[in-house]
Amino acid sequence: MRTWKEFLREANYIDGQWVAARSGETVAITNPSTGEKLGTVPHSGTAEARQAIEAASKCFESWGKTTAQERSKLIRALADAALANRDALAELLTREQGKPLAEARGEITIAAGYLHWFAEEATRVYGDIIPSPWPGRRLLVTKEPVGVVGAITPWNFPSSMLARKFGPALAAGCTVVAKPAPQTPYSALAWAVLAEEVGFPAGVINIVTGDAQQIGGELTSSPLVSKITFTGSTPVGKLLMKQAADTVKKVSLELGGNAPFLVFDDADIDSAVEGAIAAKFRNAGQTCVCTNRFYVQAGVYDHFVEKFSAAVAALKVGSPLEAGVVQGPLVDDRAVQKVEELVADAKANGGNVTVGGYRHDLGLSYFQPTVIVDANHSMRMSKEEIFGPVAAIYSFEREDEAIRIVNDTPFGLAAYFYSQDLGRVMRVSERLKYGIVAINEGIVTTEFAPFGGVKESGIGSEGSKYGIQDYLNLKYICLGGLSDAPASVGAAR
Ligand code: ADP
């Protein structure tokens, strides 16, 4: 059984080599649950990014021509290797990110799930033959890999967000240069350890750590990169989209949300409370689909608040490596400061804290699971992503009013609602302007279904049969000069 330390690499992975930054500079990585230094990674910049892009571009010439079966086999081997080392990879993830070990194991499982899914999809990239409007011609549509993909990923799911990009990119025949988040580089580098072991050719997967602006600048401006895929905040997504415009790259963006969670009078309240805990407190509230606003209909408001507050008060906070702990620290102190600011602002604007509200006694970046009732729209947290373990509860009277309010946001990633009325279930799900609608469920992410937002929450979908399309270019081939009349026997001689 391998340990997490065996997967910890303190170097970039470029063209099949483990390399330092040219300057020799490094940055320290800290375990948020202990404050201890885990190790360092290279502080790379433009030069290393360029080197990785050149390697990926050169490799694309051969990798792009491999058969789908060859790629499928390697991607499957990568997924199997991740599962075989799930405990070690999960512990590495928990140590750099802070989520409870059980959640980290779940993340490795779904990361492998994405890879398995796209290993299958690699072999199903079909084209078309279009009925020709002209005699003597045949119209074909083929699909080709876009080329080199630049992937920039966040710290909240440092393993699965990258697998969700590696899977379709590699399946399509693309090569990748990835830049992980500065807080959590080791889970990304662990993919390179596994890729090397299962036999991916040098240059297919490259990982560069360091200066986000320099590496991002090179990825978005290089003519050798054909596509940018990014998961992170909306402001950075917009910036990357602007930077990528000059070379007209394809762009896939999975950005911030402001997820509402509606509880109607006819909901099963016990089930709504269970779903609410999952949709809010998973990963200490640090996911882009985490509920940001609870809207509870007046008739069940008190009942829901009472049961939900009791469930939140019972959540066990502690070291994420300890069994039974459901909430570890937030990723860093900046994250806690933001949560503190938002709670102070909510209190100043009429919110009442029924559970938590403060930093946790454990210190560092631990924060108490918190419930704020009597929430209203003058609070900053009604518009900004909390990204922490704070649940704000608003009340509403009518369905129409609730739909109008929850749609009144520039974001449109995930929305949740609880109702037992079939008519309402269909009506509300159709009226919600969100890319993902969860009904009577608190967690719906799976590699089998498309994940993506509308409005300022993003462009494109990850996972499912749709996920590979953004990594492919359509090519129309018009095959002309064909004689549709059979050659006569005489002419043939
Ligand atoms: P957060 O605020 O939650 O860290 P970000 O959007 O800043 O979210 O980070 C997501 C990813 O985007 C990280 O890998 C980060 O390093 C990267 N990033 C941040 N700023 C830039 C930038 N200017 N160019 C490229 N990548 C960036």
Side-chain angles (χ1 to χ4, degrees):
M1 192 61 98
R2 292 161 82 182
T3 67
W4 63 275
K5 279 196 176 145
E6 291 170 65
F7 287 96
L8 190 148
R9 289 290 185 285
E10 299 181 289
N12 294 312
Y13 186 67
I14 301 176
D15 204 10
Q17 304 291 319
W18 292 97
V19 292
R22 289 188 188 178
S23 65
E25 275 182 62
T26 59
V27 280
I29 305 301
T30 308
N31 177 338
S33 68
T34 62
E36 286 161 9
K37 182 175 157 183
L38 269 176
T40 65
V41 287
H43 187 60
S44 321
T46 309
E48 294 82 356
R50 190 167 295 165
Q51 191 190 345
I53 292 167
E54 281 165 5
S57 175
K58 186 157 169 290
C59 175
F60 175 67
E61 288 166 26
S62 51
W63 177 251
K65 292 191 182 73
T66 52
T67 65
Q69 282 81 355
E70 280 173 71
R71 297 196 299 275
S72 178
K73 216 169 138 192
L74 274 173
I75 298 167
R76 177 174 296 281
L78 185 60
D80 291 343
L83 287 180
N85 293 288
R86 188 171 69 159
D87 286 350
L89 295 169
E91 189 169 340
L92 179 67
L93 201 168
T94 288
R95 285 180 187 272
E96 68 175 345
Q97 201 268 352
K99 71 176 62 175
L101 201 48
E103 285 190 34
R105 283 200 198 100
E107 181 174 341
I108 303 299
T109 305
I110 196 169
Y114 278 104
L115 292 172
H116 275 140
W117 175 269
F118 285 107
E120 299 292 322
E121 286 302 295
T123 62
R124 308 200 200 309
V125 177
Y126 300 116
D128 296 301
I129 298 173
I130 298 175
S132 174
W134 303 294
R137 301 194 209 182
R138 298 294 182 272
L139 277 45
L140 317 178
V141 180
T142 61
K143 292 179 182 170
E144 297 181 342
V146 295
V148 177
V149 172
I152 300 177
T153 48
W155 48 262
N156 58 349
F157 290 92
S159 183
S160 64
M161 290 301 112
L162 200 46
R164 204 140 95 162
K165 301 181 187 318
F166 278 149
L170 303 176
C174 300
T175 54
V176 184
V177 177
K179 190 211 85 66
Q183 298 91 334
T184 55
Y186 294 131
S187 293
L189 291 163
W191 282 118
V193 175
L194 295 172
E196 191 173 40
E197 285 176 9
V198 302
F200 271 89
V204 175
I205 286 176
N206 305 273
I207 300 179
V208 184
T209 62
D211 188 301
Q213 285 177 10
Q214 284 194 29
I215 300 168
E218 190 61 24
L219 285 173
T220 47
S221 64
S222 169
L224 298 179
V225 176
S226 303
K227 172 185 170 72
I228 296 293
T229 172
F230 170 74
T231 301
S233 63
T234 297
V236 174
K238 289 180 181 177
L239 175 73
L240 294 174
M241 197 173 173
K242 282 185 195 141
Q243 289 178 186
D246 275 346
T247 43
V248 195
K249 298 189 196 317
K250 274 184 184 283
V251 186
S252 296
L253 304 172
E254 209 269 89
L255 309 176
N258 184 5
F261 187 112
L262 296 144
V263 183
F264 288 99
D265 280 345
D266 55 60
D268 172 336
I269 298 298
D270 287 339
S271 148
V273 166
E274 197 183 314
I277 295 286
K280 176 71 243 184
F281 291 96
R282 188 165 63 114
N283 203 7
Q286 304 170 110
T287 88
C288 49
V289 291
C290 267
T291 300
N292 212 48
R293 308 173 280 162
F294 288 93
Y295 289 92
V296 184
Q297 202 158 7
V300 290
Y301 185 86
D302 290 342
H303 187 196
F304 178 84
V305 166
E306 187 192 324
K307 289 207 152 183
F308 181 65
S309 298
V312 174
L315 293 175
K316 187 171 174 196
V317 180
S319 162
L321 291 175
E322 199 185 307
V325 163
V326 292
Q327 189 187 299
L330 301 196
V331 70
D332 55 24
D333 201 60
R334 192 170 66 114
V336 191
Q337 281 172 25
K338 164 135 194 243
V339 169
E340 274 187 311
E341 262 179 41
L342 289 177
V343 171
D345 169 82
K347 283 197 213 162
N349 283 290
N352 288 305
V353 175
T354 59
V355 184
Y358 297 99
R359 283 179 184 257
H360 198 278
D361 292 344
L362 287 165
L364 297 166
S365 54
Y366 287 89
F367 198 86
Q368 296 174 336
T370 296
V371 179
I372 297 176
V373 296
D374 306 321
N376 62 69
H377 296 102
S378 55
M379 297 173 176
R380 271 175 58 193
M381 62 173 67
S382 68
K383 297 176 194 70
E384 288 177 40
E385 254 188 320
I386 302 169
F387 241 64
V390 177
I393 312 185
Y394 308 70
S395 78
F396 71 92
E397 299 280 344
R398 293 190 343 270
E399 179 185 308
D400 258 25
E401 169 204 359
I403 301 285
R404 185 184 51 75
I405 293 169
V406 303
N407 281 339
D408 184 19
T409 164
F411 300 103
L413 187 55
Y416 305 79
F417 72 93
Y418 277 70
S419 166
Q420 298 289 316
D421 174 330
L422 193 53
R424 168 173 277 161
V425 161
M426 289 316 299
R427 199 164 58 234
V428 173
S429 60
E430 284 163 10
R431 291 182 63 195
L432 287 170
K433 292 185 182 140
Y434 287 82
I436 301 166
V437 176
I439 304 159
N440 299 329
E441 294 289 345
I443 294 182
V444 296
T445 307
T446 163
E447 66 272 26
F448 293 77
F451 185 106
V454 296
K455 301 201 274 185
E456 293 185 21
S457 286
I459 299 176
S461 288
E462 296 192 303
S464 82
K465 68 171 182 175
Y466 302 103
I468 199 167
Q469 301 306 328
D470 285 343
Y471 293 81
L472 296 164
N473 286 329
L474 287 184
K475 180 178 275 179
Y476 159 43
I477 299 173
C478 177
L479 181 58
L482 304 174
S483 168
D484 276 335
S488 71
V489 175
R493 281 189 184 143

